[in-house]
Amino acid sequence: MNPPKTDARRHHDPEVRGFASDNYAGAHPEVMAALALANGGHQVAYGEDDYTENLQRIVRGHFGATAEAFPVFNGTGANVVALQAVTDRWGAVICAESAHVNVDEGGAPERMGGLKLLTVPTPDGKLTPELIDRQAWGWEDEHRAMPQVVSITQSTELGTLYTPAEIRAICDHAHAHGMKVHLDGSRIANAAASLDVPMRTFTNAVGVDILSLGGTKNGALFGEAVVVINQDAVRRMKHLRKLSMQLASKMRFVSVQLEALLAKDLWLRNARHANEMAQRLAEGVRAVHGVEILHPVQANGVFARLPHEVSVRLQKRFRFYFWDEAAGDVRWMCSFDTTEEDVDAFVAAVKEEMAH
């Protein structure tokens, strides 16, 4: 059979690589194959399809018998829907100041979700019970938004990891105050790969109530899911997803991607490889005089500080972002398709520009 024809044309050079974001990578070939497998014929729309039904079985295998997955379009949607699901209209969410929900979602939790974010400065992107207590007060004060949820990110926005024991301590502390715990898992696979434990070890097993399950950063074309673990914490999730404009009509094409990642070990293979490439990158630049690694490299990101003018020159050769341009801080991300040759070429470029 001849391959299907298209009038679309390639508009990019597939040989160009960068370290700006794991979102820059394309979709994994196994995910693309899954999409083709799910195509053809008619399936019931809006999540009543066979692929979304099967996804529930797979998700329960990862997150326990009470887990239920609600596929959505993107990570912002997953976070906003999840946080809305565990708050009242007067509720607030405690999170790290560096949290994605606070700094990278265009105000969506506040503007679209109607939530108040109560932020806490953290040196490493991680909350602790003591840090949570800076905002965990005033439940009976009608002049203050009521703290109802603690939101953590695993792995964090600074590339660091919570241990299962640290998340358990947060969950126990939050629950003792009547609060729920949300986990932003846009890079949850990278965390599990680095910790070398199943995802359940730091989610349902330690008390997380609801999580955002990432797919796009780990090889999916598009799509994430809200996974409800504590059914008692959530009301009318189906209605809330629709109200929040996150209900896919052709949901089978989101669900089959998550199936491709989660049914066996593609999620783990992809994450392990990305993490290994970040370690290779960190080791390479650590040996370069004048380059400082800012945080422990525990997932697939490397945060570094180097002269501003060097970064500007490097950006003409490889795409990456400043994290704090005034301080000279940058972020280098690796993905499932980053190669050793990519890393070595970038390290060589860093050496050249630092010696310039």
Side-chain angles (χ1 to χ4, degrees):
M1 178 182 292
N2 293 326
K5 293 183 179 180
T6 178
D7 289 331
R9 295 290 180 266
R10 176 171 279 161
H11 299 286
H12 76 290
D13 181 354
E15 298 303 317
V16 172
R17 321 288 284 187
F19 294 87
S21 172
D22 33 12
N23 285 323
Y24 276 42
H28 193 280
E30 292 181 37
V31 171
M32 296 298 288
L35 284 164
L37 191 70
N39 201 20
H42 288 198
Q43 279 273 285
V44 183
Y46 302 112
E48 299 299 319
D49 59 274
D50 295 337
Y51 295 91
T52 303
E53 180 182 353
N54 186 61
L55 177 63
Q56 303 306 325
R57 177 186 61 80
I58 295 169
V59 164
R60 287 193 295 271
H62 284 286
F63 299 105
T66 65
E68 185 176 5
F70 294 85
V72 295
F73 288 113
N74 53 47
T76 298
N79 283 335
V80 172
V81 170
L83 292 174
Q84 282 182 290
V86 286
T87 51
D88 295 308
R89 291 191 64 187
W90 51 87
V93 176
I94 299 173
C95 63
E97 194 172 71
S98 58
H100 197 276
V101 293
N102 183 49
V103 299
D104 282 309
E105 288 178 344
E110 296 96 339
R111 296 171 68 91
M112 304 304 293
L115 302 166
K116 172 67 175 177
L117 298 180
L118 304 174
T119 64
V120 181
T122 66
D124 55 3
K126 294 166 59 176
L127 290 177
T128 64
E130 293 74 24
L131 290 173
I132 290 167
D133 279 345
R134 295 187 184 181
Q135 293 285 12
W137 54 273
W139 285 277
E140 299 304 320
D141 182 356
E142 68 268 34
H143 301 288
R144 187 170 195 264
M146 182 186 292
Q148 292 186 317
V149 182
V150 174
S151 181
I152 61 176
T153 311
Q154 176 80 320
S155 56
T156 75
E157 291 78 9
L158 300 180
T160 54
L161 297 179
Y162 290 93
T163 66
E166 287 172 332
I167 296 181
R168 182 184 292 278
I170 287 170
C171 291
D172 289 347
H173 191 71
H175 293 158
H177 286 294
M179 297 186 292
K180 304 297 189 296
V181 176
H182 163 256
L183 186 143
D184 180 348
S186 63
R187 296 186 177 95
I188 190 172
N190 301 93
S194 183
L195 293 169
D196 196 26
V197 297
M199 291 183 286
R200 71 176 69 90
T201 304
F202 55 84
T203 55
N204 57 296
V206 294
V208 170
D209 297 290
I210 193 168
L211 64 93
S212 303
L213 177 63
T216 311
K217 291 178 171 65
N218 198 33
L221 181 63
F222 65 91
E224 323 277 298
V226 176
V227 177
V228 177
I229 296 172
N230 178 6
Q231 296 292 334
D232 294 334
V234 175
R235 297 190 303 267
R236 300 292 182 182
M237 187 68 189
K238 287 170 62 174
H239 298 269
L240 183 57
R241 177 175 57 179
K242 174 66 173 181
L243 178 68
S244 302
M245 299 170 284
Q246 288 292 319
L247 179 63
S249 55
K250 298 183 180 181
M251 197 180 296
R252 59 172 151 160
F253 296 110
V254 180
S255 298
V256 76
Q257 294 180 75
L258 296 173
E259 177 182 346
L261 288 170
L262 297 171
K264 292 189 178 177
D265 68 344
L266 180 58
W267 67 277
L268 190 57
R269 284 187 278 129
N270 286 352
R272 278 179 175 161
H273 177 78
N275 291 357
E276 289 167 2
M277 293 303 98
Q279 289 293 337
R280 186 182 185 92
L281 174 55
E283 290 167 8
V285 298
R286 197 175 273 119
V288 181
H289 180 71
V291 177
E292 178 187 359
I293 303 296
L294 298 174
H295 303 290
V297 180
Q298 297 177 325
N300 63 320
V302 178
F303 291 77
R305 180 174 296 160
L306 60 163
H308 182 274
E309 63 275 12
V310 173
S311 292
V312 171
R313 292 198 301 269
L314 274 171
Q315 286 177 325
K316 296 176 181 177
R317 303 171 65 174
F318 294 86
R319 285 293 300 266
F320 63 88
Y321 293 117
F322 280 101
W323 190 254
D324 181 345
E325 189 166 3
D329 299 351
V330 296
R331 185 190 76 164
W332 300 321
M333 297 300 300
C334 297
S335 61
F336 75 89
D337 64 349
T338 301
T339 67
E340 292 183 357
E341 290 77 16
D342 294 334
V343 172
D344 294 346
F346 183 68
V347 171
V350 172
K351 292 177 179 177
E352 290 172 10
E353 297 299 344
M354 287 294 291
H356 190 273

